């Protein structure tokens, strides 16, 4: 099932019958990787980390995943809210959604910083050479791989602490999510067992 929204690509529903630990379980993936083979990100006019206004249909009974975000390169996820959601299930869903939003915001901001600093580095390097951004034919000048390696190393060095903090928080959140998922699985199994026992007693 899919639904089209103006200005963005298609949202698709994720049908699932069991609670499994998959790449969607925590709702997060590294912003350095795209979810699809599409080369160009979706162009969206919004602030870094701002959530999409998409709302799943009221009849939906599954999670929904959207197109790659134009800033973070991650696919946003909207998690399904069951009708008879237990307190533990609600806690798990909220934590997954909070982690999804936190991850989106981090990589949107990080990618924006990377693009801006890269552009500044290119301009300053060309200026030091006495060159403009474009050549005589109007084509944009590019720097060599060795020249760009200087920028990449400098950017990684400056953001090393930020990435370390991100990784620690990412693992902390995923451990909490995994723990809650285990509790939900046990609670569902217990409810099913109790239901089967009641059916046996009635018969």
């Amino acid at each position: 099932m899919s639904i089209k929204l103006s200005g963005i690509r298609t949202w698709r529903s994720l049908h699932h019958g069991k609670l499994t630990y998959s790449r969607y379980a925590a709702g997060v993936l590294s912003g350095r990787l795209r979810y699809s083979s599409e080369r160009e990100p979706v162009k969206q006019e919004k602030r870094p980390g701002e959530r999409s206004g998409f709302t799943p249909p009221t009849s939906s009974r599954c999670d929904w995943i959207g197109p790659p975000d134009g800033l973070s390169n991650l696919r946003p996820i909207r998690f399904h809210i069951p009708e008879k959601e237990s307190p533990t299930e609600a806690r798990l869903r909220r934590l997954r959604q909070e982690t999804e939003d936190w991850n989106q915001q981090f990589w949107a901001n990080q990618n924006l910083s990377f693009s801006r600093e890269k552009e500044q580095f290119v301009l300053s390097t060309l200026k030091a050479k006495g060159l403009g951004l474009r050549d005589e034919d109007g084509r944009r000048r590019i720097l060599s791989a060795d020249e760009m390696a200087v920028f990449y190393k400098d950017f990684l060095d400056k953001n090393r602490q930020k990435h370390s903090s991100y990784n620690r928080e990412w693992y902390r959140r995923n451990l909490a999510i995994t723990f809650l998922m285990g509790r939900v699985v046990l609670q569902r199994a217990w409810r099913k067992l109790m239901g089967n026992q009641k059916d046996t007693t009635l018969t």
Side-chain angles (χ1 to χ4, degrees):
M1 181 178 182
S2 64
I3 183 169
K4 292 182 180 292
L5 300 177
S6 59
I8 66 172
R9 297 179 188 175
T10 305
W11 278 74
R12 296 187 181 280
S13 55
L14 295 175
H15 296 275
H16 50 81
K18 296 190 279 186
L19 189 66
T20 57
Y21 190 86
S22 67
R23 59 189 300 179
Y24 297 113
V28 290
L29 277 183
S30 169
R32 292 164 288 187
L33 299 175
R34 294 184 187 275
Y35 279 76
S36 70
S37 60
E38 296 169 327
R39 296 293 182 180
E40 295 300 325
V42 180
K43 294 182 179 179
Q44 300 174 341
E45 296 296 329
K46 65 176 187 177
R47 296 184 297 275
E50 182 182 356
R51 287 183 61 177
S52 165
F54 172 77
T55 301
T58 54
S59 59
S60 174
R61 300 183 62 184
C62 55
D63 297 340
W64 285 73
I65 182 168
D69 181 82
L71 296 175
S72 70
N73 292 332
L74 300 178
R75 289 185 182 272
I77 301 175
R78 295 292 174 269
F79 296 101
H80 170 61
I81 304 177
E83 289 184 6
K84 297 181 180 179
E85 186 179 48
S86 70
T88 304
E89 289 172 331
R91 185 179 168 192
L92 171 61
R93 174 181 54 78
R94 287 193 295 267
L95 180 56
R96 293 176 73 192
Q97 189 67 72
E98 288 170 6
T99 301
E100 159 72 12
D101 296 340
W102 165 79
N103 204 43
Q104 288 278 349
Q105 184 171 22
F106 176 86
W107 285 109
N109 289 328
Q110 193 68 0
N111 291 344
L112 272 178
S113 297
F114 177 85
S115 297
R116 289 169 180 167
E117 292 183 30
K118 180 181 177 182
E119 185 72 9
Q120 292 172 359
F121 176 82
V122 171
L123 289 173
S124 62
T125 303
L126 290 174
K127 185 177 180 179
K129 294 180 178 181
L131 300 173
L133 185 60
R134 299 188 178 279
D135 60 19
E136 296 77 8
D137 298 324
R139 292 174 298 191
R140 185 184 177 90
R141 298 182 193 274
I142 59 174
L143 301 181
S144 68
D146 290 339
E147 289 174 319
M148 291 306 303
V150 174
F151 165 74
Y152 296 139
K153 181 181 184 304
D154 181 63
F155 185 84
L156 289 174
D157 288 343
K158 287 193 302 183
N159 289 272
R160 188 179 305 278
Q161 184 59 45
K162 183 185 292 185
H163 287 151
S164 294
S165 299
Y166 165 83
N167 285 333
R168 286 194 298 271
E169 178 66 10
W170 191 90
Y171 284 117
R172 187 193 69 78
R173 286 173 176 269
N174 277 276
L175 284 173
I177 287 171
T178 303
F179 174 74
L180 285 174
M181 289 177 71
R183 290 188 59 182
V184 168
V185 169
L186 290 175
Q187 288 180 357
R188 290 178 180 177
W190 179 255
R191 286 201 303 264
K192 185 176 181 180
L193 178 63
M194 291 296 100
N196 290 339
Q197 288 184 352
K198 288 181 181 179
D199 293 340
T200 302
T201 302
L202 291 175
T203 56

